[in-house]
Amino acid sequence: MIKIFDTTLRDGEQAPGYSMNLSEKIEMAVQLEKLGVDIIEAGFAIASKGDFNSVSEIAKIIKNAEVASLSRALTKDIDASVEALKGAAFPRIHTFIATSDIHMQYKLKKNENEVLEITSEMVKYAKRFCQSVEFSAEDATRSRPEFLYRVLEQAIKAGATVLNIPDTVGYTSPSEIFDLIVGIKQNVRGIEKVDISIHCHNDLGMGVANTLSAIKAGATQIECTINGIGERAGNAALEEIIMNLKTRSDIYPFETKINTQEIYPTSKLLTNITGVKVQPNKAIVGDNAFAHESGIHQHGMLSNKKTYEIMTPKSIGLADKKMVLGKHSGRHAFVDRLVELGFKLPDSEIDTLFENFKMLADKKKNVTDLDIQMLAMRRNIKIPQTYKLDRFVINSGNTITTTSSMKLIYTNPYTKETEILEKVMPSYDGPIDASYKAIDQLVGKTFILEDFLISAVTGGTDAQGEVYVKLKNHEGNIYNGYGISVDIVEASILAYISAINNMVYEENR
Ligand code: KIV
Ligand code: ZN
């Protein structure tokens, strides 16, 4: 059985554009547990207060996977991880030090003996607090193999249970990584007692291929991220690795605990939270991954799906984009559809969801499976609505100055007292600009709009429009906001307000 170590919330989240707040990270972690990963790397505890909190909160919630926290090979880093992992059912300390000449000389300014010594000391130190200790030899694929073997042997002697071989800069090739893993198995004493892990970056587009080659050579743990997000060109994509193992089990005879039907919902949840979509032709989870447009392909598919389909959309949990429900649909039909889409929820959650569905169905003639998935997947991201849209009125046209009249309800986060806030703002730059300026005035702050993304969730002129914004405040922190409505101006306003609520939530934690 190959173990899946997901680092979406650590290596993935540290890449530009993917930052998530605590509530969003918790929602992702819960979904990763449902997907069946063995280990969730929840953050780098010492890196920031946000990372510490995310490790600590995720550790308390996750019961069916190990929760890992990254630490440099320094006692203060390990101490922070130990503290953050206190509530975990299955904690793992992940500590690392670089082993390549270039990293040792220019970054660490340490020689080989010093690195060997630190490895031994820090793994021993981590082992005092935690049974499960993973050691990573950063930049392993550019390290001198003979030195790497000695470092790994020290880590095993000191008590490491997992040895990770990172291709930190995405430099290796499938045959080279194969030989390196074989070399490690042949030259490192005690290697049979521990898991060998592989961690590939994708700088040359080889992350998945290198990972698959490493497990053929004997690696027993794979480190990867959802949608392949991560530093620079990203990390090896979980969905691509898993569907290779499933579709080509003839050449990769390895089992994992992943429930492949949770792949699409997990990918979608991540894009939904971060607002960063995958490219349409992305393997497995891209919009076109299962689309057969050309006539020849369609003809083949009609005769026998296997002509052009090597795996089914259902196997990754991709529901048909069927039109299923409308405003006359009852609660029963709605619940049935939710269950078919894989959401088995308690009555209390269904009540709110059904209300949201009814509101949507009032505005939109046909509610599709995708609409329902969207509603259901974001249900647990609970950010207090410090600012809530009460109503807005836009007066706009191509020959007049636009005005936005905005009314918000403000709830004091401490006293819970509410206050009505109203503002009318003109703008020469259209309804969204006027509305955002009005909100800035009401909140008493200005923001830099780092990103604004608008798209139709489904087809047709009555499609739900979804808007993602990323707002930067004066301290340089970025907050995600999301809004969905059949009215794109409303979706834009909701997204802006939700980013502000995210900021208030983070600031008051
Ligand atoms: O890429 C890398 O080397 C890492 C290590 C910290 C595991 O992410
Ligand atoms: Zn990495």
Side-chain angles (χ1 to χ4, degrees):
M1 184 73 79
I2 303 283
K3 293 182 186 135
I4 302 298
F5 177 114
D6 181 276
T7 184
T8 306
L9 295 172
R10 199 277 298 169
D11 225 349
E13 204 256 354
Q14 74 193 41
Y18 292 99
S19 57
M20 294 175 233
N21 71 25
L22 181 60
S23 176
E24 292 164 339
K25 285 187 193 167
I26 292 174
E27 189 58 15
M28 247 343 265
V30 169
Q31 179 59 33
L32 289 168
E33 186 180 37
K34 197 166 167 203
L35 174 67
V37 307
D38 299 273
I39 304 102
I40 297 172
E41 187 161 51
F44 190 170
I46 201 157
S48 67
K49 191 170 154 235
D51 260 48
F52 183 93
N53 288 340
S54 110
V55 177
S56 162
E57 295 303 313
I58 290 171
K60 287 180 204 146
I61 290 169
I62 298 299
K63 296 289 169 244
N64 298 315
E66 280 188 47
V67 176
S69 170
L70 186 68
S71 339
R72 287 164 300 181
L74 296 172
T75 51
K76 63 174 179 180
D77 283 37
I78 296 173
D79 289 342
S81 288
V82 171
E83 186 60 29
L85 288 168
K86 260 186 183 155
F90 305 104
R92 174 179 292 192
I93 294 178
H94 179 190
T95 187
F96 73 98
I97 191 162
T99 52
S100 63
D101 287 346
I102 188 155
H103 276 234
M104 289 191 293
Q105 187 179 345
Y106 294 102
K107 188 180 79 175
L108 298 177
K109 304 198 187 331
K110 303 227 178 284
N111 63 33
E112 290 192 346
N113 284 338
E114 286 169 316
V115 167
L116 274 168
E117 173 78 17
I118 295 169
T119 300
S120 175
E121 289 307 307
M122 289 304 104
V123 172
K124 275 188 203 150
Y125 186 69
K127 196 72 183 182
R128 279 167 44 185
F129 307 101
C130 196
Q131 162 50 31
S132 176
V133 174
E134 171 166 338
F135 170 75
S136 285
E138 191 188 9
D139 207 17
T141 52
R142 292 193 302 165
S143 303
R144 229 172 25 84
E146 287 67 31
F147 176 60
L148 180 65
Y149 302 153
R150 286 174 62 208
V151 174
L152 297 177
E153 208 164 288
Q154 279 301 325
I156 297 175
K157 270 200 205 144
T161 45
V162 183
L163 297 181
N164 185 34
I165 312 301
D167 183 25
T168 303
V169 291
Y171 182 72
T172 197
S173 76
S175 61
E176 190 180 70
I177 194 75
F178 187 95
D179 292 344
L180 182 63
I181 302 291
V182 169
I184 289 170
K185 285 177 68 178
Q186 287 170 348
N187 293 288
V188 176
R189 258 171 299 172
I191 195 75
E192 65 293 339
K193 293 187 289 195
V194 300
D195 274 313
I196 303 177
S197 170
I198 182 72
H199 175 115
C200 293
H201 280 265
N202 204 30
D203 299 66
L204 292 171
M206 301 301 278
V208 171
N210 290 335
T211 303
L212 293 171
S213 192
I215 59 168
K216 283 214 103 172
T220 47
Q221 174 179 288
I222 292 172
E223 302 202 354
C224 47
T225 60
I226 302 298
N227 297 344
I229 70 168
E231 291 272 1
R232 308 178 309 278
N235 289 53
L238 179 146
E239 62 280 4
E240 295 178 22
I241 296 164
I242 296 299
M243 291 316 285
N244 266 279
L245 299 186
K246 187 175 164 82
T247 312
R248 297 306 311 272
S249 56
D250 53 332
I251 49 174
Y252 303 116
F254 307 105
E255 300 285 325
T256 70
K257 292 201 319 226
I258 297 295
N259 172 2
T260 61
Q261 296 211 355
E262 290 297 331
I263 284 180
Y264 188 74
T266 313
S267 159
K268 207 68 190 149
L269 181 64
L270 180 65
T271 53
N272 220 294
I273 288 173
T274 60
V276 187
K277 296 212 159 31
V278 297
Q279 82 230 35
N281 62 325
K282 160 91 176 62
I284 320 294
V285 291
D287 278 354
N288 296 348
F290 291 93
H292 296 271
E293 292 292 335
S294 97
I296 296 176
H297 286 203
Q298 283 176 354
H299 177 73
M301 288 286 287
L302 286 173
S303 314
N304 182 339
K305 285 197 167 181
K306 286 193 176 151
T307 47
Y308 286 103
E309 195 172 78
I310 57 167
M311 56 197 157
T312 63
K314 196 164 176 265
S315 66
I316 62 154
L318 178 56
D320 292 342
K321 295 176 188 173
K322 282 184 289 190
M323 291 191 294
V324 279
L325 301 174
K327 69 175 177 183
H328 299 297
S329 307
R331 195 177 189 280
H332 199 74
F334 178 68
V335 174
D336 279 355
R337 201 65 209 133
L338 274 178
V339 172
E340 277 178 57
L341 292 171
F343 297 96
K344 296 184 196 81
L345 308 176
D347 277 355
S348 56
E349 287 194 18
I350 290 175
D351 288 345
T352 335
L353 219 51
F354 186 59
E355 252 176 57
N356 293 344
F357 159 73
K358 278 287 183 192
M359 279 189 314
L360 180 65
D362 263 346
K363 294 184 180 173
K364 191 173 189 292
K365 209 167 55 213
N366 298 307
V367 179
T368 67
D369 280 350
L370 208 54
D371 289 322
I372 296 173
Q373 263 180 329
M374 289 287 166
L375 288 177
M377 283 195 308
R378 291 194 65 92
R379 76 192 184 282
N380 280 341
I381 299 173
K382 293 191 182 88
I383 301 295
Q385 296 209 32
T386 308
Y387 295 95
K388 190 165 186 280
L389 176 66
D390 184 59
R391 61 150 183 75
F392 69 95
V393 177
I394 303 284
N395 190 20
S396 184
N398 62 350
T399 53
I400 56 166
T401 305
T402 301
T403 53
S404 170
S405 158
M406 186 68 57
K407 184 173 167 197
L408 304 184
I409 303 169
Y410 168 71
T411 307
N412 186 303
Y414 304 106
T415 62
K416 303 293 169 213
E417 276 170 20
T418 59
E419 197 184 322
I420 302 290
L421 309 172
E422 285 185 272
K423 187 83 199 168
V424 180
M425 277 303 281
S427 168
Y428 294 110
D429 294 320
I432 294 172
D433 188 62
S435 301
Y436 285 7
K437 283 191 172 127
I439 296 170
D440 283 357
Q441 292 276 319
L442 294 176
V443 172
K445 287 199 164 121
T446 52
F447 304 94
I448 297 167
L449 187 59
E450 279 278 302
D451 213 348
F452 178 91
L453 204 102
I454 186 160
S455 55
V457 181
T458 45
T461 48
D462 70 345
Q464 287 190 90
E466 55 177 11
V467 173
Y468 291 95
V469 297
K470 287 188 197 294
L471 297 191
K472 196 194 240 176
N473 67 2
H474 287 284
E475 288 80 50
N477 300 324
I478 305 240
Y479 300 95
N480 296 327
Y482 174 78
I484 184 162
S485 168
V486 285
D487 175 337
I488 53 167
V489 177
E490 184 174 13
S492 309
I493 293 170
L494 291 172
Y496 200 76
I497 295 173
S498 95
I500 292 172
N501 285 334
N502 251 335
M503 180 193 69
V504 176
Y505 173 69
E506 290 287 306
E507 284 177 352
N508 289 306
R509 286 190 59 79

